[in-house]
């Protein structure tokens, strides 16, 4: 088949919470867009795959059912990328996993002309070498790479930072609340009005409401926020080596680091409530509240993640629910930063960032 | 000359506050971007023009001086558009004026394959027919039209709204403070803490600090905000006929509508301070502050602009300086809106939105 400029092939890896929402948005999009025609040519999880060797379309309408029923296992990623690179139209790989292995293959995909769209943080927050390989491969081949939802889900965070930098503004500082889980926890534990609950109770409540990872330690260790800060710092021009190369405060008490399960951790957590209570009281005495924030100071090249105190009227203190808030201080914006705020987690809003990125790539390919 | 895919021609109309900042950003951009090569092929104000019939480049480094020294007057716009359409590379017209006449020519430019980038509100907030002609011409010819800075200067307002709509979210309500002037006036007149000054004094102070139009009535009549609301409502799917087709509260006392000059208006304004003082006091009695806001309720198709009361802790009340704030309520974001906040006026940040749009068009043309 000859390459068809009026068609774009989409390959999707991952069918979890975000993946399912994305497939539903893709289906609506394909129905709405007569041109270019969007063809789903590959859909896979880590265990199953759905594709046709002759590149005929996978039916989007029942793709998840067909995937469940499929007897094909996913080929090794280099083989998947060759399949996509040889497709008879421009191809976009949508990585809806949080897999390091998939991220490690972005340079190969990009160098073979396959564009990449993803909410997966791993490719952009792991080693600095991988980051460089990704963007060198993209600029050499012309294939695009977009990852808006890797920070703040569908909020316009990465696109805004890129616009600031690309138009010649100087970003001086970025600070904010980058985790929906941490936002929810601290808005409940140390509210601007009223008392708030015991720390371990709030963690259990957040888990039962689905606001934490299955193992809440994956939120409390601060690594998720550190990964997001790494991405933003690099975009702002700091060659941060990895998310462990700057100070990150973990909220896992050192005595509980050896717990073998999340359940054991949650069981023992109440023994350490006094520590967090002290932190809260110290802030209260200063007329403030405590929040878990990340900040990047570009001039001093310092990146850090952890607890800080804020005035009750500060936008970071006044945040609601599980909202994120990100403030960009720049030369042009002066003392009053450019602020983006809203839900920074959730399947639909994360998928929205992926779909919006997909549309941007399509507009550049077709 | 054959069309050159590795070159993009830029034509700029307008060299006022925003225009000057844009030219400076364009110059830096052109120096940084080896490919595609950005060539300034036309620069004009309403009185002077600078261009070469053989399309050889206008030197960006001293373009404003050369324009001042130029003896050429600008040709009629249809002729300028023919000149651009016949250029030996893809061409982008940057309209940095606030001229209705230039805006009226967007459909012609777009239909001839010339893309348009502009902070000028007139094309998108005037008659609904012009709006339709602009977007039909763009979709027919494939030429692009971007106008981020027409609302909230460089803040990501229009791009965010487009992403929400394009990815299938349902926008239910948009509300906010859309005027830097009104923001400054009310943050000073009715601050969340302290007393604030007399209304007429605050208007005079804002004028002397350069926060108002040369004639402050152009801000106080609410039309600027009404134009921005018209743009956003249309993007959200409401076919608003014009900025005068919905309720807009003017802060010009009816007795002063007949003033023949801004100076006469400012001289007589103190006589009406009691009216504004009453408005402020009424809000204070309810424990609130008064702000000048715009809102779009999509379900009821209602758009309005005027004074409203807000709790002191509301983000709209807590705004600082001349900042704008825009809240998008959508199906996906639920009760906690997606919020964008920051400077919504100023040469550099407005030009930034224009330059960012230019980069988006370039990425799609080249």
């Amino acid at each position: 088949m000859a390459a068809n400029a009026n068609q774009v092939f989409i390959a999707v890896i991952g069918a979890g919470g975000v993946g399912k929402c994305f497939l539903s948005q893709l289906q609506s999009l394909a129905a709405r867009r007569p041109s270019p025609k969007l063809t789903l040519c590959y859909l896979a999880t880590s265990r199953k795959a759905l594709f046709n060797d002759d590149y005929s379309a996978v039916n989007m309408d029942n793709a998840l059912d067909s995937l469940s029923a499929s007897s094909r296992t996913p080929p090794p990623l280099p083989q998947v990328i060759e399949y996509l690179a040889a497709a008879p139209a421009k191809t976009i790989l949508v990585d809806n996993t949080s897999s390091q292995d998939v991220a490690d293959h972005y340079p190969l995909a990009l160098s073979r002309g396959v564009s990449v769209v993803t909410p997966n943080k791993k490719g952009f927050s792991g080693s600095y070498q991988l980051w460089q390989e990704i963007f060198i491969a993209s600029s050499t081949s012309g294939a695009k790479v977009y990852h808006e939802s890797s920070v703040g889900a569908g909020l316009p965070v990465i696109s805004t930072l890129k616009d600031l930098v690309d138009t010649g503004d100087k970003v001086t500082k970025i600070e904010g609340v980058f985790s929906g889980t941490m936002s929810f926890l601290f808005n409940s534990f140390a509210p601007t009005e009223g008392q708030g609950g015991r720390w371990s109770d709030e963690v259990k409540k957040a888990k039962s409401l689905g606001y934490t990872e299955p193992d809440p330690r994956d939120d409390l260790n601060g690594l998720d926020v550190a990964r997001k800060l790494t991405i933003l710092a690099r975009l702002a021009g700091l060659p941060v080596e990895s998310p462990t190369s700057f100070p990150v405060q973990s909220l896992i008490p050192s005595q509980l680091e050896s717990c073998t399960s999340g359940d054991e951790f949650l069981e023992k957590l109440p023994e350490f409530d006094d520590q967090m209570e002290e932190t809260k009281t110290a802030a209260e005495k200063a007329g403030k509240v405590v929040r878990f924030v990340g900040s990047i100071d570009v001039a001093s090249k310092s990146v850090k993640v952890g607890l800080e105190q804020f005035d009750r009227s500060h936008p970071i203190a006044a945040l609601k629910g599980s909202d994120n808030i990100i403030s960009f201080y720049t030369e042009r914006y002066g003392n009053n930063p450019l602020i983006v705020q809203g839900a920074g987690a959730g399947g639909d809003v994360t998928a929205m960032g992926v779909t919006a990125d997909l549309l941007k790539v399509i507009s550049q390919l077709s």
Side-chain angles (χ1 to χ4, degrees), chain A:
Chain A
M1 272 202 263
N4 186 343
N6 199 29
Q7 196 165 37
V8 173
F9 278 22
I10 319 272
V12 181
I13 305 184
V18 174
K20 286 197 177 88
C21 292
F22 170 77
L23 285 170
S24 154
Q25 291 180 20
L26 177 64
Q27 194 186 340
S28 309
L29 190 67
R32 254 192 0 254
R33 271 192 85 94
S35 175
K37 192 177 163 223
L38 304 182
T39 301
L40 181 62
C41 70
Y42 184 85
L43 175 63
T45 61
S46 55
R47 295 182 306 112
K48 296 201 168 203
L50 195 62
F51 64 104
N52 300 306
D53 296 320
D54 67 353
Y55 297 100
S56 58
V58 170
N59 188 345
M60 289 188 201
D61 295 339
N62 53 5
L64 286 170
D65 291 340
S66 308
L67 182 65
S68 300
S70 172
S71 57
R72 292 186 94 154
T73 53
L77 283 165
Q79 211 171 306
V80 174
I81 290 166
E82 286 318 306
Y83 166 78
L84 299 178
K90 295 205 171 157
T91 305
I92 303 170
L93 172 62
V94 181
D95 171 18
N96 284 328
T97 73
S98 57
S99 152
Q100 181 69 53
D101 186 42
V102 178
D104 286 340
H105 286 83
Y106 297 164
L108 178 61
L110 292 162
S111 70
R112 302 286 283 114
V114 176
S115 293
V116 173
V117 165
T118 185
N120 182 355
K121 291 184 275 291
K122 298 284 165 62
F124 313 97
S125 62
S127 81
Y128 191 63
Q129 195 192 332
L130 177 58
W131 164 278
Q132 287 177 304
E133 284 170 5
I134 288 170
F135 290 99
I136 289 169
S138 163
S139 94
T140 307
S141 74
K144 311 295 172 191
V145 52
Y146 278 79
H147 56 103
E148 181 63 81
S149 285
S150 62
V151 179
L155 298 175
V157 175
I158 289 180
S159 53
T160 298
L161 178 54
K162 275 192 189 166
D163 281 352
L164 290 166
V165 172
D166 289 349
T167 62
D169 201 355
K170 298 262 184 303
V171 177
T172 53
K173 189 171 88 168
I174 303 172
E175 92 175 338
V177 172
F178 295 89
S179 154
T181 312
M182 290 295 199
S183 181
F184 181 84
L185 279 173
F186 283 90
N187 297 343
S188 312
F189 170 65
T192 51
E193 291 174 22
Q195 260 305 303
R198 300 283 296 173
W199 175 248
S200 59
D201 290 339
E202 296 298 349
V203 173
K204 283 172 198 163
K205 188 172 81 184
K207 179 172 155 59
S208 71
L209 290 170
Y211 282 121
T212 70
E213 296 293 321
D215 184 339
R217 292 177 297 179
D218 291 339
D219 296 298
L220 297 176
N221 64 14
L223 183 60
D224 170 72
V225 177
R227 286 194 176 279
K228 292 168 181 167
L229 271 280
T230 301
I231 295 172
L232 297 182
R234 287 174 178 172
L235 287 172
L238 298 183
V240 172
E241 185 46 46
S242 83
T244 56
S245 63
F246 52 85
V248 177
Q249 184 177 1
S250 168
L251 298 187
I252 300 174
S254 54
Q255 299 91 327
L256 294 187
E257 271 167 13
S258 56
C259 289
T260 51
S261 73
D263 288 342
E264 183 193 346
F265 168 77
L266 279 178
E267 200 174 294
K268 294 182 173 168
L269 190 58
E271 299 166 29
F272 300 87
D273 276 350
D274 286 352
Q275 288 181 10
M276 286 300 285
E277 205 62 27
E278 270 172 39
T279 309
K280 177 156 84 171
T281 311
E284 275 169 2
K285 278 184 182 150
K288 303 190 177 193
V289 292
V290 65
R291 293 290 183 266
F292 194 85
V293 298
S295 67
I296 299 162
D297 187 290
V298 178
S300 68
K301 298 186 183 174
S302 102
V303 183
K304 60 183 176 180
V305 171
L307 293 172
E308 282 184 38
Q309 300 182 352
F310 291 89
D311 286 333
R312 284 163 198 278
S313 65
H314 193 286
I316 284 183
L319 219 54
K320 296 215 166 60
S322 60
D323 275 7
N324 284 189
I325 184 168
I326 296 98
S327 301
F328 297 99
Y329 292 82
T330 81
E331 234 172 62
R332 287 188 196 137
Y333 280 89
N335 290 329
N336 286 357
L338 189 171
I339 300 175
V340 176
Q341 180 180 333
D348 254 337
V349 296
T350 306
M352 174 209 147
V354 179
T355 306
D357 278 352
L358 185 77
L359 283 167
K360 283 172 191 129
V361 175
I362 290 169
S363 75
Q364 292 176 61
L365 293 185
S366 52

